[in-house]
Amino acid sequence: MIKFVIMVNQQGQTRLSKYYEPVELSKRAALEAVAVRCCLSRGKHQCSFVEYKDFKLVYRQYAALYVVVGVSDSENELSIYELIQNFVEVLDKYFSRVSELDIMFNLDSVHIILDEMIQNGHIVETNKSRILAPLTAIDKMADG
Amino acid sequence: MPAVSKGDGMRGLAVFISDIRNCKSKEAEIKRINKELANIRSKFKGDKALDGYSKKKYVCKLLFIFLLGHDIDFGHMEAVNLLSSNKYTEKQIGYLFISVLVNSNSELIRLINNAIKNDLSSRNPTFMCLALHCIANVGSREMAEAFASEIPRILVAGDTMDSVKQSAALCLLRLYKTSPDLVLMGEWTSRVVHLLNDQHMGVVTAAISLITCLSQKNPDEFKTCVSLAVSRLSRIVSSASTDLQDYTYYFVPAPWLSCKLLRLLQCYPPPEDGAVKGRLVECLETILNKAQEPPKSKKVQHSNAKNAILFEAISLIIHYDSEPNLLVRACNQLGQFLQHRETNLRYLALESMCTLASSEFSHEAVKTHIETVINALKTERDVSVRQRAADLLYAMCDRSNAKQIVAEMLSYLETADYSIREEMVLKVAILAEKYAVDYSWYVDTILNLIRIAGDYVSEEVWYRVIQIVINRDDVQGYAAKTVFEALQAPACHENMVKVGGYILGEFGNLIAGDPRSSPLVQFNLLHSKFHLCSVPTRALLLSAYIKFINLFPETKATIQEVLRCDSQIRNSDVELQQRAVEYLKLSSIASTDVLATVLEEMPPFPERESSILAKLKKKKGPGAVSVTELEDSKRESGELNGAGERGPDPSVMAASNASTPSPSADLLGIRSAAPVSNAPASAGSLLVDVFSEAGPAASSGAVNDDGFLSSAPPSEDPAPPLSEAEELLNKFVCKNNGVLFENQLLQIGIKSEYRQNLGRMYLFYGNKTSVQFASFTTTVSCPGELQSHLNVQSKPVEPLVEGGAQIQQVLNIECLTDFSDAPLLNIKFRYGGALQNLTLKLPVTINKFFQPTEMASQDFFQRWKQLSQPQQEAQKIFKANHSMDTEVIKAKLLGLGMALLDNVDPNPENYVCAGVIQTKSQQVGCLLRLEPNAQAQMYRLTLRCSKDSVSKRLCELLAQQF
């Protein structure tokens, strides 16, 4: 299962974090720091899967932003790798060319999107328009 | 900001975030955050009631602050209030706050539960989804109690919206994980399984996670999911790339769902139904074929999605391990990936091939890729890929290629990354031992290992080489010659000095004929390293020196000179000083005969599983090595020294009592304070033995002074049971005869036999000293409740036990009803005037009254189902403490007294047993199932008995045995 999803920038600032297993606040910072260091220290030719303690990190870089997903042993690495891509594509569709700022200023929307895609550590929806359905509904309400 | 983000709706939030971003330092950021927290707090506490919009804004700010790593200790109440808002946006932010910030033991759960209850009954699908998300995220026990019965109904109801079904499935999964006892699937099972047929792909995606988890727990009940999963998979795999519309990802139909389906199938053995199986094999073949087709898109997303399915399919093929044709095709496909330009694929191919190597059908096919893998080990630029390559080499190694692989691994070690060196060293050591045809190759390999990566060679590795050299006399001369040559190097690793010292001390005579390695040359060579070594190594070398005196009398004067010099005999380290003094004295006063006896060549070590292997398994285990594991490995290294298993060897204990525990002893990982290392340990103890024979009075005096056994107060009351009594008891669960207890004075042996509910036990008390034991009395008692459960009668014994003599006592045992505690055996006697008083637990355990019961598979499962009340079952999942060898496990289960049933469990790895416990008042039927997991080194043990206390007790007893 998926243990957490985090988004961090190259300066190591967390932009999004969602945990599907309880992790203490103090340990989150440490974990996020390790994840960033681990991703930053790796080059393009290195593989996108890193073993860390008893789980694996799957990461993908988008400009200065990294999306890091912690998964248990039983998860298919490539499918998680593409799940990240799908997530970012959904963000891109919603924000039309997503940037780090969009994520910061619209944290609640990003959370809604993520909640539509992953619940409780499991993939629940992969269809882009269905993922965006609740958000579009909200926006319609606000407009109308 | 893009038009779509409604940032203008919350200006305050945007300003705050910008402020934070403009902070130049961490301090400034913290200051700004504290200001904001104070502001929000005052707003919340203020008299003016906040409107929904402001509450939302502040909660958003708190979320952002939390994300930056600051604890939030207020605002929860406001978030709960938002839940009851009728505006979707406000409700949504309230739920978001709660799912991110509230943990499952919060006091607010009751209030949250109320809000959830309202939303669930609102029939508004968006509200229902929010509520279900929240349960899935928080998932506390209280929530499970409130909603566990409600959710399955929502999940399978015909009129539930698809999106609600999806949330309900994941929500139920969460509740099942936190409180399995509350989620009763019984009546829902078949309808949940049929969600696999749902028209909506999203519902299937969500449901499959739930079904996978439930199948792992109750495979039998969910068996029907196999055929449904196969047909679903078949429909997806055979669909055109555009059929599934929005679920097609870069021309790949439903990749995530396909992976999940394939993963679900891995919970089960291959389908028995021929048609289903045929269809599945067809699917797998199609997936393998697609890998060869030209890609429909050049985008990497396309090939990644396709390969995700491919790897999952290969995992399934490996899991079934029954289709040679598919296995070989999988292997060839992975072989192609080994040379792919994508690092990710190479990594995954290596990883997947590693499991493929252990299948008998594909082992040979994997071996054909050896050159590629060796090349990967040498040229890959990513350490994690190299690590996988090393793993694969290890997995594909057999007798035919061992020399090549070991040589490659050795040469890789010189440049290997520090992070994987130790593991590599262990692997090389294991392969060298496992596939050694001639042991001179083995010795060469290990010495090379020490030369190349001495720092990473753990004790287990060099203990092992010594153990093997001592046990095989054909290699001793070669070993002596090789270490002698290795020691010639001007700078050699300390581990090399240890091995060299030990081997030359034992077998230096085998090469002493050659003038180039005459005794004095050998000694000078060793001694030239002496001063550069740490204390434990020096201690070992001193023992090697005294062995030299025995082997080569001509070196006696030189060595005595060395021992006599101030730096030895007055060394500040107690251990070194004591050795120097004792060895010097020994060499000057003992006759050659005595010397030859004391310093005799080491006897062969008992054969046992390599402790290196155990260590490697541990390294592979999750997480860092914990303290208990460290202790375990210490114990193992103790066993390697031949001391561990013999337990408290009297002479070793005497030796350790006589000498002060020194830190060097601990370093070598021998429990208590046994003198350093292998040879010295036994040499030292022999030493004391010789002395104690010369003057038993002195030695026994020493024992008493040391307060041995005097931990028990010298009163007439029976002492409390020894701390290790429980451990001793556990040793006898699966056997009836053996030594129950031993110390310097006394040995107690046991022989017992049981029939129905009766037993007879013979106790043998042996006096190990040469002095008489006076007023020897033994009492057997059944403390507390046990009295009414067990009846033990004993005859009194002779009050005098002569030195060296043994007396016997017979006990008659009757089991009245089932019991948990063990009867106590108290022994009192006077030895040299001092009262000895010790209490042990008698190894009478409930399983001794088992009658084995043979039954067929059908009967077994019928009875198993009959014993289905929760309290009748006891289950434990535990780490293996002993070898997981099949024969060993079988022997233990037979020793337990139950019938071991073959061909009952569908999984041949598992063991099932049946038996009846005979007590006077009733008979208790018991069924046992033991499921080993060799990979994780774990067991799951399940017991079902017609009486709950019996299940519990048996489970406790047995968990210690494996």
Side-chain angles (χ1 to χ4, degrees):
Chain A
M1 70 175 271
I2 300 168
K3 300 194 171 204
F4 57 81
V5 176
I6 45 186
M7 271 183 152
V8 286
N9 64 12
Q10 270 178 328
Q11 288 78 47
Q13 290 160 318
T14 308
R15 289 307 176 215
L16 171 76
S17 72
K18 177 84 190 175
Y19 290 83
Y20 299 100
E21 271 183 353
V23 178
E24 279 170 44
L25 189 63
S26 55
K27 289 188 183 143
R28 292 184 182 200
L31 184 78
E32 285 159 23
V34 169
V36 184
R37 219 174 307 138
C38 174
C39 299
L40 284 178
S41 65
R42 295 171 68 83
K44 277 238 154 41
H45 57 271
Q46 295 187 295
C47 74
S48 320
F49 321 121
V50 192
E51 276 171 51
Y52 177 71
K53 290 197 178 158
D54 57 340
F55 54 92
K56 268 193 182 160
L57 301 175
V58 178
Y59 71 93
R60 207 159 170 160
Q61 186 183 1
Y62 295 92
L65 205 60
Y66 288 88
V67 183
V68 188
V69 181
V71 294
S72 68
D73 241 9
S74 62
E75 207 57 64
N76 180 313
E77 293 94 341
L78 272 181
S79 81
I80 297 297
Y81 187 69
E82 285 311 312
L83 181 73
I84 298 176
Q85 171 73 16
N86 200 27
F87 173 50
V88 174
E89 282 179 18
V90 174
L91 293 179
D92 212 49
K93 187 171 172 187
Y94 181 66
F95 293 109
S96 46
R97 297 188 62 85
V98 66
S99 72
E100 193 180 331
L101 288 181
D102 294 326
I103 293 166
M104 287 178 72
F105 286 107
N106 301 282
L107 199 57
D108 51 335
S109 311
V110 178
H111 265 288
I112 295 177
I113 291 177
L114 192 60
D115 278 350
E116 287 299 314
M117 295 185 73
I118 305 172
Q119 273 175 37
N120 191 9
H122 295 272
I123 304 174
V124 66
E125 184 57 79
T126 57
N127 175 338
K128 291 195 185 77
S129 41
R130 278 182 55 86
I131 294 170
L132 287 176
L135 272 182
T136 2
I138 294 178
D139 291 342
K140 271 211 189 93
M141 275 187 257
D143 291 340
Chain B
M1 266 186 294
V4 74
S5 61
K6 306 281 178 269
D8 51 328
M10 284 201 270
R11 240 183 64 80
L13 177 66
V15 169
F16 171 60
I17 294 177
S18 306
D19 280 359
I20 294 285
R21 292 190 59 227
N22 292 333
C23 284
K24 293 278 183 292
S25 66
K26 193 79 195 161
E27 288 73 36
E29 185 186 305
I30 292 176
K31 213 172 145 197
R32 179 71 185 85
I33 286 172
N34 284 337
K35 189 178 148 205
E36 192 61 42
L37 284 175
N39 171 35
I40 300 173
R41 202 176 267 132
S42 73
K43 283 276 170 17
F44 280 166
K45 289 241 170 79
D47 337 315
K48 220 174 76 191
L50 293 173
D51 56 8
Y53 163 76
S54 325
K55 274 191 204 160
K56 182 184 162 192
K57 183 175 77 184
Y58 293 129
V59 168
C60 268
K61 281 185 182 173
L62 289 179
L63 269 179
F64 187 79
I65 294 172
F66 181 73
L67 184 71
L68 291 173
H70 298 267
D71 204 359
I72 303 292
D73 53 2
F74 67 99
H76 298 71
M77 208 51 220
E78 283 67 24
V80 172
N81 287 338
L82 281 176
L83 295 186
S84 45
S85 163
N86 273 329
K87 275 199 178 147
Y88 180 77
T89 47
E90 287 170 14
K91 192 186 276 291
Q92 192 272 334
I93 205 82
Y95 273 120
L96 179 58
F97 182 92
I98 284 162
S99 62
V100 174
L101 270 136
V102 173
N103 52 25
S104 47
N105 46 24
S106 165
E107 295 153 8
L108 292 171
I109 294 284
R110 201 156 304 146
L111 290 171
I112 299 171
N113 273 359
N114 262 336
I116 292 177
K117 201 165 276 167
N118 288 335
D119 284 332
L120 281 184
S121 51
S122 72
R123 312 222 120 250
N124 175 338
T126 38
F127 287 6
M128 284 174 90
C129 278
L130 284 177
L132 290 167
H133 278 199
C134 182
I135 303 177
N137 277 318
V138 180
S140 69
R141 177 84 194 166
E142 257 182 303
M143 282 189 173
E145 279 165 2
F147 303 110
S149 53
E150 175 97 17
I151 312 284
R153 201 166 308 142
I154 297 177
L155 176 60
V156 298
D159 58 349
T160 308
M161 298 274 290
D162 292 329
S163 57
V164 178
K165 274 190 194 169
Q166 285 173 281
S167 301
L170 270 305
C171 178
L172 192 57
L173 171 58
R174 173 62 183 251
L175 295 186
Y176 183 75
K177 276 186 180 162
T178 36
S179 318
D181 53 315
L182 292 177
V183 181
L184 302 170
M185 290 309 297
E187 44 182 322
W188 309 112
T189 305
S190 115
R191 295 174 74 179
V192 168
V193 171
H194 275 87
L195 287 174
L196 285 175
N197 263 342
D198 199 286
Q199 284 190 322
H200 196 280
M201 301 284 268
V203 174
V204 186
T205 311
I208 201 165
S209 293
L210 174 66
I211 296 170
T212 307
C213 174
L214 292 169
S215 302
Q216 280 162 348
K217 296 277 159 53
N218 331 286
D220 291 341
E221 288 163 43
F222 283 84
K223 232 176 179 165
T224 44
C225 74
V226 174
S227 62
L228 289 176
V230 170
S231 59
R232 188 91 214 192
L233 180 70
S234 157
R235 265 179 282 157
I236 296 174
V237 169
S238 57
S239 66
S241 53
T242 49
D243 279 1
L244 301 169
Q245 294 170 358
D246 282 345
Y247 287 90
T248 300
Y249 178 79
Y250 289 90
F251 304 103
V252 181
W256 293 283
L257 181 54
S258 308
C259 286
K260 282 181 154 198
L261 286 165
L262 287 162
R263 180 69 63 166
L264 170 63
L265 290 172
Q266 286 172 56
C267 302
Y268 287 93
E272 283 154 20
D273 182 333
V276 177
K277 191 169 180 192
R279 204 162 172 197
L280 178 57
V281 169
E282 208 174 290
C283 280
L284 295 172
E285 276 170 347
T286 316
I287 295 172
L288 284 169
N289 291 340
K290 277 191 181 168
Q292 298 300 331
E293 287 169 11
K296 294 197 178 69
S297 154
K298 285 216 171 78
K299 286 262 173 57
V300 64
Q301 283 82 350
H302 170 72
S303 57
N304 276 342
K306 209 164 80 170
N307 291 331
I309 302 174
L310 179 61
F311 275 111
E312 207 57 63
I314 293 179
S315 292
L316 182 63
I317 294 172
I318 298 173
H319 167 78
Y320 286 163
D321 197 13
S322 60
E323 299 285 327
N325 171 36
L326 287 176
L327 281 162
V328 171
R329 281 195 66 184
C331 183
N332 294 339
Q333 182 59 54
L334 294 177
Q336 284 184 15
F337 284 152
L338 286 183
Q339 315 213 29
H340 202 281
R341 60 190 160 76
E342 282 271 326
T343 315
N344 286 347
L345 286 184
R346 293 199 302 275
Y347 172 91
L348 293 172
L350 287 167
E351 186 178 60
S352 187
M353 228 181 214
C354 215
T355 44
L356 208 51
S358 54
S359 161
E360 54 170 324
F361 300 114
S362 52
H363 184 77
E364 287 304 314
V366 171
K367 270 169 64 186
T368 57
H369 299 288
I370 184 166
E371 296 301 336
T372 323
V373 182
I374 287 173
N375 199 35
L377 188 65
K378 285 179 180 160
T379 57
E380 279 292 347
R381 289 191 287 170
D382 183 351
V383 54
S384 36
V385 184
R386 288 197 295 271
Q387 162 104 51
R388 289 287 89 82
D391 285 349
L392 177 54
L393 279 181
Y394 178 75
M396 67 161 71
C397 190
D398 62 16
R399 210 165 285 283
S400 72
N401 55 19
K403 283 203 175 171
Q404 185 189 6
I405 287 180
V406 167
E408 291 293 347
M409 284 175 127
L410 267 178
S411 75
Y412 170 60
L413 251 182
E414 300 194 38
T415 52
D417 312 76
Y418 295 107
S419 54
I420 62 172
R421 277 197 186 178
E422 190 180 354
E423 201 183 314
M424 290 284 294
V425 166
L426 290 175
K427 284 184 168 154
V428 171
I430 289 166
L431 292 179
E433 181 186 337
K434 198 164 165 195
Y435 299 114
V437 184
D438 72 287
Y439 278 85
S440 53
W441 173 69
Y442 169 74
V443 170
D444 282 341
T445 306
I446 301 294
L447 291 186
N448 268 328
L449 208 53
I450 297 177
R451 198 160 33 222
I452 294 167
D455 283 343
Y456 298 90
V457 172
S458 56
E459 283 153 6
E460 284 82 358
V461 174
W462 75 261
Y463 285 171
R464 188 71 184 164
V465 68
I466 283 172
Q467 207 177 346
I468 286 176
V469 169
I470 289 194
N471 287 11
R472 307 206 145 252
D473 38 17
D474 50 329
V475 75
Q476 287 161 356
Y478 181 78
K481 181 168 154 284
T482 329
V483 288
F484 178 77
E485 280 161 10
L487 285 173
Q488 305 284 348
C492 55
H493 195 271
E494 191 161 333
N495 279 334
M496 188 70 89
V497 179
K498 286 180 186 160
V499 176
Y502 198 111
I503 290 187
L504 291 181
E506 294 292 324
F507 310 113
N509 54 328
L510 299 175
I511 56 166
D514 188 327
R516 284 169 298 175
S517 53
S518 72
L520 261 178
V521 175
Q522 284 184 39
F523 170 74
N524 286 332
L525 181 62
L526 279 180
H527 199 54
S528 67
K529 316 282 182 199
F530 187 89
H531 301 281
L532 297 170
C533 291
S534 63
V535 169
T537 311
R538 284 199 226 174
L540 185 150
L541 284 178
L542 287 179
S543 301
Y545 295 171
I546 185 74
K547 289 228 159 189
F548 265 53
I549 295 185
N550 175 45
L551 288 178
F552 317 116
E554 66 265 39
T555 59
K556 186 171 171 178
T558 322
I559 291 175
Q560 282 184 334
E561 197 57 42
V562 169
L563 292 174
R564 201 176 287 127
C565 80
D566 277 355
S567 64
Q568 310 296 355
I569 214 160
R570 295 196 176 158
N571 193 296
S572 60
D573 185 273
V574 184
E575 183 65 37
L576 290 182
Q577 190 190 85
Q578 183 174 4
R579 281 185 192 222
V581 173
E582 284 178 1
Y583 292 160
L584 184 60
K585 205 70 186 159
L586 177 70
S587 66
S588 15
I589 59 171
S591 69
T592 23
D593 285 353
V594 171
L595 215 53
T597 320
V598 174
L599 301 170
E600 204 179 4
E601 192 178 298
M602 287 294 287
F605 289 89
E607 286 296 339
R608 59 167 65 99
E609 192 203 13
S610 163
S611 57
I612 310 178
L613 207 57
K615 173 147 186 178
L616 182 70
K617 282 177 196 153
K618 272 186 195 130
K619 271 196 82 68
K620 285 265 149 190
V625 182
S626 68
V627 180
T628 49
E629 281 176 342
L630 276 175
E631 278 168 2
D632 278 351
S633 66
K634 273 190 179 182
R635 201 164 306 140
E636 267 157 36
S637 59
E639 279 181 18
L640 190 79
N641 291 339
E645 197 154 87
R646 271 183 284 154
D649 182 335
S651 52
V652 171
M653 272 174 77
S656 63
N657 278 344
S659 75
T660 342
S662 77
S664 53
D666 269 338
L667 268 177
L668 276 162
I670 298 165
R671 265 183 303 170
S672 78
V676 182
S677 170
N678 316 4
S682 78
S685 55
L686 277 167
L687 205 77
V688 177
D689 264 2
V690 172
F691 287 149
S692 64
E693 254 168 55
S699 119
S700 64
V703 167
N704 278 339
D705 282 347
D706 227 82
F708 178 72
L709 281 188
S710 59
S711 53
S715 75
E716 296 292 326
D717 294 328
L722 292 179
S723 54
E724 68 266 32
E726 194 62 41
E727 201 179 314
L728 297 172
L729 180 75
N730 278 328
K731 267 171 52 185
F732 281 83
V733 170
C734 293
K735 62 176 186 178
N736 286 335
N737 307 327
V739 174
L740 175 65
F741 174 79
E742 187 164 20
N743 64 20
Q744 292 111 309
L745 310 176
L746 179 71
Q747 184 193 55
I748 306 175
I750 276 195
K751 245 174 111 167
S752 49
E753 55 198 38
Y754 295 88
R755 190 162 298 131
Q756 304 282 0
N757 68 326
L758 300 176
R760 177 167 293 164
M761 182 180 276
Y762 300 88
L763 290 163
F764 302 92
Y765 304 95
N767 180 347
K768 289 172 62 182
T769 68
S770 48
V771 183
Q772 186 189 60
F773 291 166
S775 352
F776 190 88
T777 53
T778 67
T779 336
V780 178
S781 60
C782 295
E785 264 189 8
L786 188 60
Q787 225 161 7
S788 54
H789 297 185
L790 199 68
N791 187 2
V792 185
Q793 287 174 338
S794 58
K795 292 185 185 133
V797 288
E798 292 292 326
L800 287 183
V801 187
E802 293 301 333
Q806 189 184 58
I807 57 165
Q808 181 189 337
Q809 184 179 29
V810 186
L811 306 180
N812 286 318
I813 303 162
E814 185 185 17
C815 176
L816 304 171
T817 175
D818 72 286
F819 60 95
S820 298
D821 284 348
L824 298 178
L825 170 68
N826 174 257
I827 301 149
K828 282 193 219 128
F829 58 93
R830 288 190 176 276
Y831 168 73
L835 178 74
Q836 306 290 345
N837 181 351
L838 79 152
T839 303
L840 298 166
K841 289 192 171 176
L842 269 183
V844 181
T845 44
I846 183 73
N847 65 294
K848 300 292 178 197
F849 303 95
F850 257 130
Q851 291 278 104
T853 321
E854 293 289 345
M855 55 177 80
S857 174
Q858 209 181 352
D859 297 344
F860 182 88
F861 283 111
Q862 194 186 348
R863 284 179 209 206
W864 183 263
K865 285 213 180 90
Q866 281 165 1
L867 298 170
S868 60
Q869 287 171 34
Q871 66 270 29
Q872 287 176 328
E873 184 186 84
Q875 190 174 71
K876 247 192 181 136
I877 296 173
F878 53 93
K879 236 183 155 52
N881 292 314
H882 303 280
S883 149
M884 293 186 78
D885 183 77
T886 320
E887 292 310 313
V888 176
I889 296 177
K890 278 188 181 164
K892 281 183 184 167
L893 287 171
L894 287 173
L896 179 70
M898 300 176 89
L900 182 59
L901 306 175
D902 285 324
N903 304 325
V904 167
D905 199 297
N907 180 350
E909 301 294 327
N910 294 347
Y911 304 88
V912 291
C913 300
V916 176
I917 289 179
Q918 307 276 350
T919 72
K920 194 178 177 189
S921 61
Q922 66 181 136
Q923 298 189 336
V924 184
C926 303
L927 302 175
L928 171 152
R929 190 176 193 203
L930 179 69
E931 297 157 274
N933 179 341
Q935 211 177 2
Q937 289 288 299
M938 303 277 287
Y939 288 101
R940 177 162 71 189
L941 172 70
T942 316
L943 275 148
R944 289 192 176 181
C945 305
S946 51
K947 199 162 174 189
D948 44 1
S949 52
V950 177
S951 307
K952 231 177 95 210
R953 177 61 181 155
L954 280 174
C955 198
E956 279 164 16
L957 281 174
L958 284 172
Q960 311 292 328
Q961 301 298 318
F962 297 99

